């Protein structure tokens, strides 16, 4: 998935998302040391952690997303350490005490081979006993092949933008494709439509536990959200906390 064309919309959609910030901020404070964020995007989590004093490096494959992250850092008078790279193949000399992958970052690994390659690479960048923590959406989607408006409306000056989406599921490959139709009405009443497509690979709980063990991690602790409760039928998010073996 190439996020370069998607970066501006992504910022509008998720800039104010706060559900995970306190969780990852508290985790960084408890663990201390050096921290790597995988899938740093436009710097939403990275900048929050940096403001709280974390020694954080942000890893992101999209050049356009990194541009937005650097612009955010400049606005907020922060110095961010940002690296362009892919979770499967990046190579850094630093070994980290904690690696996090917030907000479904690992859902851009589309095959078991890609998933295992990425997890093994993350393990190689952890100190012995270092922690890996990430969250994934519970695979629960709306009516497929139906255009929906889920309350995403943005205003820039006198322009109004509405985001509509259509989702398609491939249950054999465990992939969900979300097509975004971004409609902007200008001051003169003219309508401009942009189209973006996002593909993600969703997971089941025990599949993730098995992958982690295969990649050299301890059996994880699994939460049903960022508040620390168990994973239940109604949970929207799975949070995995594990450590590097050896």
């Amino acid at each position: 998935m190439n996020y370069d064309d998607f970066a501006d919309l992504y910022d509008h959609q998720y800039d104010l998302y706060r559900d995970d910030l306190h969780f990852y901020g508290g985790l960084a404070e408890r663990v201390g040391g050096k921290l790597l964020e995988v899938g740093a995007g436009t710097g939403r989590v990275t900048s929050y952690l940096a403001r709280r004093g974390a020694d954080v490096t942000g890893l992101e494959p999209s050049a356009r997303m990194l541009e937005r992250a650097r612009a955010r850092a400049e606005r907020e008078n922060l110095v961010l350490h940002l690296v362009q790279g892919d979770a499967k193949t990046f190579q850094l000399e630093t070994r980290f005490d904690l690696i996090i992958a917030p907000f479904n970052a690992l859902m851009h690994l589309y095959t078991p081979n890609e998933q295992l390659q990425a997890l093994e690479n993350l393990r190689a960048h952890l100190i012995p006993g270092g922690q890996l923590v990430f969250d994934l959406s519970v695979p629960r989607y709306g009516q497929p092949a139906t255009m929906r408006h889920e309350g995403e409306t943005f205003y820039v000056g006198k322009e109004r933008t509405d985001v509509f989406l259509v989702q398609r599921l491939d249950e054999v490959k465990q992939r969900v494709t979300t097509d975004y139709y971004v409609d902007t009405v200008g001051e003169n009443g003219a309508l401009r439509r942009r189209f973006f497509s996002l593909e993600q690979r969703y997971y089941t709980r025990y599949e993730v536990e098995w992958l982690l063990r295969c990649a050299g991690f301890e059996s994880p602790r699994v939460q049903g959200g960022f508040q620390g409760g168990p994973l239940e039928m109604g949970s929207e998010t799975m949070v995995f906390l594990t450590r590097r073996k050896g």
Side-chain angles (χ1 to χ4, degrees), residues 77-119:
N77 294 316
L78 292 171
V79 177
L80 296 184
H81 184 208
L82 300 168
V83 177
Q84 186 172 6
D86 181 276
K88 303 186 300 296
T89 58
F90 80 95
Q91 295 293 322
L92 297 176
E93 293 184 2
T94 303
R95 294 299 175 261
F96 297 91
D97 301 84
L98 171 65
I99 295 178
I100 63 172
F103 204 46
N104 300 320
L106 300 186
M107 288 179 69
H108 298 294
L109 302 167
Y110 298 110
T111 67
N113 284 340
E114 289 183 351
Q115 294 159 1
L116 192 57
Q117 182 183 356
L119 289 173

Side-chain angles (χ1 to χ4, degrees), residues 54-71:
D55 183 0
V56 57
T57 297
L59 178 75
E60 169 58 42
S62 166
R64 178 60 179 151
M65 291 288 239
L66 288 173
E67 286 179 13
R68 301 282 300 205
R70 293 187 180 101

Side-chain angles (χ1 to χ4, degrees), residues 146-164:
T146 301
M147 183 172 283
R148 310 194 303 270
H149 187 291
E150 299 188 336
E152 291 184 304
T153 300
F154 313 112
Y155 294 90
V156 178
K158 295 185 177 180
E159 288 191 341
R160 168 178 170 148
T161 296
D162 288 278
V163 181
F164 301 87

Side-chain angles (χ1 to χ4, degrees), residues 113-128:
N113 284 340
E114 289 183 351
Q115 294 159 1
L116 192 57
Q117 182 183 356
L119 289 173
E120 288 175 341
N121 194 29
L122 296 182
R123 180 188 181 280
H125 282 83
L126 281 168
I127 65 169

Side-chain angles (χ1 to χ4, degrees), residues 117-214:
Q117 182 183 356
L119 289 173
E120 288 175 341
N121 194 29
L122 296 182
R123 180 188 181 280
H125 282 83
L126 281 168
I127 65 169
Q131 295 188 49
L132 171 65
V133 181
F134 57 94
D135 62 270
L136 299 167
S137 291
V138 174
R140 188 181 300 113
Y141 300 102
Q143 185 67 29
T146 301
M147 183 172 283
R148 310 194 303 270
H149 187 291
E150 299 188 336
E152 291 184 304
T153 300
F154 313 112
Y155 294 90
V156 178
K158 295 185 177 180
E159 288 191 341
R160 168 178 170 148
T161 296
D162 288 278
V163 181
F164 301 87
L165 62 86
V166 177
Q167 288 185 312
R168 295 173 279 119
L169 292 179
D170 184 335
E171 296 182 358
V172 174
K173 295 182 178 179
Q174 289 181 220
R175 297 191 189 187
V176 57
T177 301
T178 305
D179 294 331
Y180 291 93
Y181 299 85
V182 184
D183 290 355
T184 299
V185 178
E187 185 176 355
N188 60 359
L191 173 65
R192 182 177 78 257
R193 167 165 283 180
R194 292 171 291 159
F195 173 80
F196 305 94
S197 189
L198 172 66
E199 186 174 18
Q200 295 171 300
R201 203 285 197 169
Y202 59 85
Y203 298 76
T204 63
R205 170 186 176 167
Y206 296 114
E207 171 189 21
V208 176
E209 293 190 24
W210 179 253
L211 280 166
L212 288 170
R213 287 195 292 270
C214 289

